[in-house]
Amino acid sequence: MSDVWTPPRAEVKDVGLSGNPDAPEIRQQHLSHEANIKALGTLYYLGFVIMTLGGIAKLLTGGGTGRLAAYNMGMGIAFIVLGLLYFWLGRGLRTLKPWSRIVA
């Protein structure tokens, strides 16, 4: 009965960097790629700010009557929605989510 309750045992080996002499170079290449992806995410954040502020400005100063007022309101809402999509995509890129690569 005691064999049922004993935890499994596994051998753990510490490979470290000695297993591959090119490991530091490969790691450095991947770090620069990660930094580039995060920088692209920051640009999407900038797009979020610009689009959202533009949408708010369009809603506040759109004015007009009839069809022009409806057009200005529609454009303001579209800018805000696109700005929120930019924020969502920028967040995905900054956190290195796999889906954000496809969308971007």
Side-chain angles (χ1 to χ4, degrees):
M1 196 68 151
S2 64
D3 292 334
V4 175
W5 299 104
T6 57
R9 294 185 181 200
E11 184 178 337
V12 179
K13 294 181 181 179
D14 185 18
V15 179
L17 293 177
S18 62
N20 185 358
D22 296 331
E25 181 181 329
I26 292 171
R27 182 176 182 273
Q28 192 63 33
Q29 289 172 350
H30 288 218
L31 284 177
S32 66
H33 183 68
E34 178 182 329
N36 290 337
I37 292 172
K38 287 186 175 187
L40 186 61
T42 303
L43 288 176
Y44 274 98
Y45 279 158
L46 179 64
F48 155 70
V49 170
I50 292 171
M51 292 293 282
T52 304
L53 289 177
I56 291 171
K58 189 72 168 169
L59 287 175
L60 294 177
T61 62
T65 58
R67 294 176 71 178
L68 181 61
Y71 172 78
N72 285 334
M73 181 170 285
M75 289 301 293
I77 291 171
F79 283 171
I80 291 172
V81 168
L82 282 175
L84 292 174
L85 289 174
Y86 278 11
F87 177 79
W88 175 67
L89 184 56
R91 184 171 164 227
L93 287 170
R94 295 281 302 162
T95 56
L96 302 174
K97 301 291 183 192
W99 58 262
S100 64
R101 170 186 65 173
I102 297 167
V103 177

